[in-house]
Amino acid sequence: MIKKLRLNSEKDTDQFAKLIAKNIFPGMIIGLSGDLGSGKTTFTKYLAKHMGVKDTLNSPTFTLLKTYQGDLNLYHMDVYRLENIGYDYELDDYIYGDGVAVIEWYPYIISMLPDNILTLTFTFIDDVKRDLVIEGSGKYEKILQEISD
Ligand SMILES: Nc1ncnc2c1ncn2[C@@H]1O[C@H](COP(=O)(O)OP(=O)(O)O)[C@@H](O)[C@H]1O
Ligand SMILES: [Mg+2]
């Protein structure tokens, strides 16, 4: 199933993250894509907030992975630097762990991922607006059904 949303401001991104946080489950995998500055880390910040994470979430671009404790553990990855590697064994435990894995630039490690994940694709429209395409099947469809067309 695919849904498309226009995020008219960061407030909409916050609200969308809230809906996702309401539906989290152990082992959830969220793949994020979109150009630099399109809102992947910003979405993750709001998701963390709604998951009860108290620590400040920073971009893990140079560390590959940061973990946070909330209602469930949040594993925030940015695999941009793995573009030419494509696989990183150390990430396996987190991707297939019992927390929520959020992966910026997930297409770079697509071979490591299960077929069924929730993907969010951000497109820059202007300084405050973004288009968002949300895709998922199986256990993720329930979440997609909650998003109005
Ligand atoms: N609707 C919106 N959703 C998300 N970010 C937005 C939005 N409008 C403006 N922004 C801004 O765009 C920037 C997105 O940066 P960031 O989340 O780091 O992007 P990425 O992780 O995709 O490189 C932030 O400065 C954020 O404040
Ligand atoms: Mg980022």
Side-chain angles (χ1 to χ4, degrees), residues 7-13 34-43 46 59 78 104-105 122 124 126-130:
L7 305 169
N8 281 307
S9 72
E10 244 184 80
K11 199 162 180 291
D12 285 353
T13 304
D35 290 339
L36 205 68
S38 60
K40 302 182 295 298
T41 300
T42 302
F43 162 78
Y46 288 120
S59 179
D78 184 326
E104 297 193 36
W105 300 96
F122 292 85
F124 185 95
D126 67 21
D127 55 342
V128 294
K129 292 187 177 66
R130 304 290 186 267

Side-chain angles (χ1 to χ4, degrees), residues 79-91:
V79 299
Y80 185 74
R81 293 185 313 137
L82 290 182
E83 179 175 13
N84 299 311
I85 304 166
Y87 206 96
D88 186 293
Y89 290 93
E90 288 170 33
L91 294 181

Side-chain angles (χ1 to χ4, degrees), residues 86-146:
Y87 206 96
D88 186 293
Y89 290 93
E90 288 170 33
L91 294 181
D92 260 7
D93 289 346
Y94 299 94
I95 293 169
Y96 295 93
D98 53 11
V100 175
V102 177
I103 310 164
E104 297 193 36
W105 300 96
Y106 78 93
Y108 288 176
I109 58 158
I110 198 79
S111 64
M112 287 183 68
L113 302 175
D115 290 339
N116 193 12
I117 69 173
L118 184 73
T119 64
L120 309 180
T121 305
F122 292 85
T123 304
F124 185 95
I125 303 298
D126 67 21
D127 55 342
V128 294
K129 292 187 177 66
R130 304 290 186 267
D131 269 349
L132 177 61
V133 177
I134 310 120
E135 199 168 358
S137 54
K139 54 194 170 184
Y140 296 102
E141 289 211 12
K142 191 179 88 56
I143 304 172
L144 281 143
Q145 280 160 3
E146 285 193 30

